[in-house]
Amino acid sequence: METKFIFITGGVVSSVGKGVTSAALGRLLKERGFKVAVQKLDPYINVDPGTMNPYQHGEVFVLDDGAETDLDLGHYERFIDISLNRVCNVTTGQVYAEVIEKERHGSFLGGTIQVIPHITDEIKRRIGMVAQTLDVDIVLVEVGGTVGDIESLPFLEALRQMRGDVGRENSVYIHATWLPYIGATNELKTKPTQHSVRELRSIGISPDMIVARSDHPITQDLIDKIALFCDVEPQAIVPMVTTPVMYEVPLLLERAGIGEYLLERLGLQPRKQPDWGIWERIVEQSRRQRPKVQVALVGKYVELHDAYMSVREALKHAALALGVEAEIAWVHSADLEDGEGWETVKAADGIIVPGGFGDRGIEGKIQAARYAREDKVPYLGLCLGMQLMVVEFGRQVLGDESVNSTEFDPDTPHPVIDLMPDQKDIVDKGATMRLGLYPCCLQPGSVAAKAYGVDLVQERHRHRFELNNAYREQFAEHGMRFSGVSPDDRLVEIAELDDHPFMLGTQFHPEFLSRPTRPHPLFLAFLQAVCQRAGVAVVEELQSF
Ligand code: GLN
């Protein structure tokens, strides 16, 4: 079959949930037996978000192949339960870097290099690469930003050209917009949607479908009005009212008949009937009143919850499977250093110290790890959270507060966490960390091995520093178990404490592989320990989602 393309653009304002909508559309198609992938086109000039401050951009999501990508790729992988690759996130920076390199190489034979056709050709080449490298039937392509942005123009022009290249029967344009609500007159407004569609038309793209997002119910006459003014059939206007349960979006789209509509539009017959059983159970469980437990997330970017998107989702997946609600208490680690925020930490029944870079708030995280160890509070350390658990343990074992990671004190006499040897000569910051999937052997009988139930796992990494092997023996004698190591035993991937209900840190990021339908074993084990401490019963047998 010829590859089919679904292009998703955004209008009116950003943050209307285009990423979740694209992910949910992908699920609709997968439920009908098609192999799908989703690609995000990001118009900013950075080559990837890896060098960006999370305050700017939220979490950096890491793929199996080590690509550092936009957090929307996390939505795609979680909703569709697929593994994407680095061609699934394209930025202006990547496109220009490639074209300029070719120009320097002499590949254009004296031609003048222009946005059309050279930049647009490179964008189209990258869209084509998704189907080639992932062997899928349908590629969904989401364009970041909002129609009307200067920097997204080459991407939209490339999408416009794609229809000519692949044909109308193989391409669908979906425009996601926002209907603002005017409180004084108690009505939703369609005018910004009309303007946004007009803007899109002026670029040469006529949307086939409109996803109208709103915080308020959308009536049929509004749908008819959008259809009339925007020249789109009423059944191709998708009313999408904000839901507190994100994983409900595929079900809402299904009920709106979007799966059938898309297939018909693309001339496809379903290969199987959708089975929404799992999703319905997830949504039912999300809506149910469940016993609450509190988990303190001690981080650096806590004002922006998107900076910890995958951690939040992984905890949610585990909580749904265990029939509880895990409330996150966001704690700024720098506050802990000033003696503030401790009542929140102490009110919680578990602590997560997530990944991070740079020295702000580090001592606060170490203090949180100390409290967790001494008071036997369940603790899950993710990457930096594992490293700081080791630093804290080292300070205790060696009786010396100068124990540190060389990331924070290059001159520490006890560098228990140190730069990986192959990182020592690297000066460039972009895409130079230890990135992506690596195998990890689990020690039989350990907390980690029991949680996973297997002896070899693959997990995603993003770090430069690691445990210094010179301290392994001494720490092991004092009750720190290195329960996960690289197959050659040179890198410690998991550390856990023996004399503790659950104190475990991973050098990798388990949160990237958690799915609503397949909660991550370590998050499940951690949350079980949290529930036990809180005296909250979990469902006897894990719901087999
Ligand atoms: N800054 C630490 C390192 O580079 C931890 C990285 C992380 O938490 N992702 O090793």
Side-chain angles (χ1 to χ4, degrees):
M1 134 183 173
E2 275 181 291
T3 310
K4 309 280 180 179
F5 295 91
I6 298 175
F7 303 112
I8 301 122
T9 55
V12 182
V13 284
S14 58
S15 308
V16 298
K18 244 184 318 143
V20 169
T21 305
S22 306
L25 288 170
R27 185 79 212 186
L28 253 61
L29 297 165
K30 182 178 179 176
E31 284 299 326
R32 286 167 169 77
F34 294 96
K35 284 190 273 174
V36 295
V38 194
Q39 181 181 45
K40 176 89 190 277
L41 306 179
D42 274 315
Y44 53 70
I45 319 271
N46 303 59
V47 169
D48 62 43
T51 53
M52 283 189 206
N53 185 324
Y55 280 131
Q56 299 266 319
H57 198 262
E59 162 185 283
V60 174
F61 191 79
V62 180
L63 304 181
D64 283 351
D65 66 7
E68 297 174 277
T69 70
D70 184 72
L71 54 74
D72 276 331
L73 277 86
H75 290 313
Y76 308 156
E77 288 205 343
R78 285 188 284 269
F79 274 80
I80 314 176
D81 197 4
I82 43 173
S83 290
L84 299 172
N85 68 9
R86 62 176 61 252
V87 292
C88 295
N89 195 187
V90 175
T91 68
T92 296
Q94 285 169 24
V95 171
Y96 273 80
E98 178 95 21
V99 172
I100 291 170
E101 196 186 308
K102 283 191 184 143
E103 185 273 334
R104 292 289 83 184
H105 193 64
S107 309
F108 296 111
L109 295 173
T112 305
I113 315 305
Q114 296 185 296
V115 172
I116 307 171
H118 300 96
I119 295 299
T120 48
D121 278 354
E122 177 58 23
I123 294 170
K124 290 196 291 179
R125 189 180 73 84
R126 284 169 184 255
I127 294 173
M129 274 165 66
V130 177
Q132 278 166 25
T133 57
L134 287 173
D135 183 30
V136 292
D137 307 308
I138 306 173
V139 182
L140 293 103
V141 182
E142 178 194 346
V143 186
T146 310
V147 168
D149 297 345
I150 290 177
E151 55 188 14
S152 63
L153 281 173
F155 289 102
L156 295 173
E157 167 59 14
L159 298 197
R160 184 194 69 76
Q161 295 175 17
M162 288 283 297
R163 172 152 283 178
D165 296 351
V166 303
R168 196 184 128 74
E169 66 289 0
N170 293 326
S171 56
V172 176
Y173 295 102
I174 302 180
H175 193 49
T177 72
W178 179 252
L179 306 181
Y181 174 77
I182 308 294
T185 53
N186 183 27
E187 56 179 349
L188 287 173
K189 291 296 196 184
T190 65
K191 189 74 81 189
T193 296
Q194 297 174 36
H195 279 294
S196 176
V197 170
R198 191 175 305 163
E199 180 88 33
L200 194 58
R201 282 235 168 78
S202 72
I203 299 166
I205 296 176
S206 287
D208 301 296
M209 287 175 67
I210 293 177
V211 175
R213 287 272 297 105
S214 162
D215 280 342
H216 298 264
I218 302 168
T219 54
Q220 187 60 40
D221 52 307
L222 273 181
I223 294 176
D224 293 341
K225 190 169 173 187
I226 299 170
L228 178 69
F229 281 96
C230 300
D231 231 349
V232 173
E233 306 176 278
Q235 69 263 40
I237 310 282
V238 189
M240 276 285 298
V241 180
T242 309
T243 162
V245 180
M246 188 172 71
Y247 293 115
E248 192 180 17
V249 175
L251 298 181
L252 297 175
L253 291 171
E254 180 68 47
R255 276 181 221 132
I258 303 312
E260 258 69 63
Y261 186 83
L262 274 177
L263 254 54
E264 199 184 294
R265 186 53 198 70
L266 291 167
L268 296 171
Q269 293 297 326
R271 293 177 180 165
K272 73 174 190 67
Q273 285 309 309
D275 175 4
W276 292 105
I278 294 174
W279 288 87
E280 268 155 13
R281 285 207 293 283
I282 290 172
V283 172
E284 258 165 45
Q285 183 77 298
S286 308
R287 292 205 179 281
R288 211 164 58 79
Q289 282 279 348
R290 290 159 287 150
K292 280 193 181 120
V293 290
Q294 287 252 337
V295 172
L297 188 143
V298 180
K300 178 177 175 185
Y301 312 104
V302 289
E303 302 89 337
L304 182 74
H305 297 178
D306 276 6
Y308 302 109
M309 173 85 80
S310 294
V311 177
R312 193 176 61 183
E313 291 308 307
L315 200 57
K316 195 194 284 177
H317 304 158
L320 287 169
L322 295 173
V324 299
E325 187 176 340
E327 263 184 3
I328 298 183
W330 303 89
V331 179
H332 214 300
S333 58
D335 287 349
L336 298 181
E337 294 169 9
D338 302 331
E340 287 161 28
W342 280 103
E343 59 300 339
T344 314
V345 173
K346 290 184 177 165
D349 283 301
I351 296 174
I352 293 182
V353 176
F357 299 83
D359 47 18
R360 184 167 64 97
I362 288 298
E363 288 299 321
K365 292 179 184 172
I366 295 173
Q367 286 168 22
R370 174 155 300 174
Y371 161 73
R373 181 178 55 77
E374 289 178 347
D375 284 50
K376 304 231 184 292
V377 182
Y379 175 99
L380 180 62
L382 307 170
C383 203
L384 178 65
M386 174 267 201
Q387 296 174 352
L388 296 181
M389 164 184 156
V390 170
V391 169
E392 191 286 317
F393 188 78
R395 287 183 183 179
Q396 136 88 10
V397 167
L398 301 169
D400 186 342
E401 290 296 303
S402 67
V403 169
N404 215 327
S405 160
T406 52
E407 182 177 6
F408 313 116
D409 179 4
D411 303 319
T412 172
H414 302 292
V416 295
I417 302 291
D418 199 8
L419 207 54
M420 302 176 60
D422 48 7
Q423 286 282 334
K424 296 225 153 108
D425 298 323
I426 292 177
V427 281
D428 276 355
K429 289 277 181 270
T432 53
M433 283 187 247
R434 178 170 182 243
L435 289 165
L437 215 56
Y438 285 94
C440 167
C441 302
L442 303 173
Q443 189 193 92
S446 62
V447 171
K450 281 187 204 144
Y452 280 104
V454 292
D455 48 23
L456 182 75
V457 292
Q458 305 267 348
E459 292 280 1
R460 293 180 182 174
H461 294 248
R462 181 172 187 250
H463 61 111
R464 289 185 206 285
F465 292 81
E466 60 157 342
L467 190 133
N468 183 341
N469 287 330
Y471 294 89
R472 254 160 92 165
E473 207 174 314
Q474 193 179 5
F475 286 8
E477 277 163 18
H478 286 84
M480 177 170 270
R481 189 193 284 244
F482 302 111
S483 53
V485 293
S486 58
D488 62 7
D489 196 33
R490 281 172 54 195
L491 299 173
V492 168
E493 309 285 30
I494 307 177
E496 61 187 50
L497 291 193
D498 280 337
D499 185 23
H500 195 284
F502 188 99
M503 188 145 187
L504 181 147
T506 60
Q507 188 54 83
F508 49 82
H509 290 270
E511 66 271 24
F512 292 142
L513 291 181
S514 183
R515 305 281 184 260
T517 47
R518 287 189 293 124
H520 194 285
L522 293 181
F523 276 85
L524 279 173
F526 165 69
L527 200 57
Q528 267 166 325
V530 173
C531 291
Q532 192 156 22
R533 182 182 152 93
V536 164
V538 300
V539 289
E540 283 285 298
E541 273 178 52
L542 289 185
Q543 290 219 348
S544 52
F545 277 150

